[in-house]
Amino acid sequence: MLFLPYVRGWFGAAGLDWAYLAALATAVAFFGVPVLRRVAYGLGVLDNPGARKIHQYATPHLGAAAVYAAFAITVLFNFDFSRALKGVALGATIVVVLGLLDDASDLPAPVKLGGQVA
């Protein structure tokens, strides 16, 4: 519902632009985390208990992807970007994708570091 133009317009007319952005990001994360949690269980992208872990049950990894998606959707649909900010957004996306790949397949540390530096 927050994606509807008249809802966004109502927030803007009331001078609540930042409240709209916070509500949008919160809603996307709130509804996205459970979906990606189920996806993580289905794909087996889990952090299993071990000697160096404190949890007793397998924990899904993909919740952070929903939080990043909430941030990205909020920013991309509500702000105009300069070329420099597009580069920052691209770099952040690369780091998140590398993190997701690492969660799914345990990337070697040099590969992960190389991607983060790039």
Side-chain angles (χ1 to χ4, degrees), residues 8 17 28 34 44 103 109 116:
R8 181 179 178 190
D17 292 323
V28 172
D103 289 345
Q116 290 171 344

Side-chain angles (χ1 to χ4, degrees), residues 1-2 14 17-18 23 25 36 41 47 49 63-65 67 69 75 78 82 93-94 102 105 108-109 113:
M1 190 167 137
L2 288 169
D17 292 323
W18 289 104
L36 285 178
Y41 275 116
D47 187 20
V67 174
V75 170
N78 292 288
S82 67
T93 302
I94 290 170
D102 183 48
S105 63
L113 179 63

Side-chain angles (χ1 to χ4, degrees), residues 88-109:
V88 171
L90 178 62
T93 302
I94 290 170
V95 170
V96 169
V97 169
L98 280 170
L100 293 173
L101 290 173
D102 183 48
D103 289 345
S105 63
D106 288 328
L107 291 176

Side-chain angles (χ1 to χ4, degrees), residues 32-86:
V33 167
V35 170
L36 285 178
R37 182 174 188 247
R38 281 187 224 116
V39 169
Y41 275 116
L43 296 175
V45 183
L46 305 171
D47 187 20
N48 294 307
R52 295 180 50 187
K53 311 287 175 123
I54 60 170
H55 54 276
Q56 297 176 353
Y57 305 103
T59 304
H61 274 298
L62 299 180
V67 174
Y68 177 74
F71 164 76
I73 288 169
T74 300
V75 170
L76 291 174
F77 286 109
N78 292 288
F79 293 100
D80 292 325
F81 280 103
S82 67
R83 185 177 175 130
L85 284 177
K86 287 179 184 176

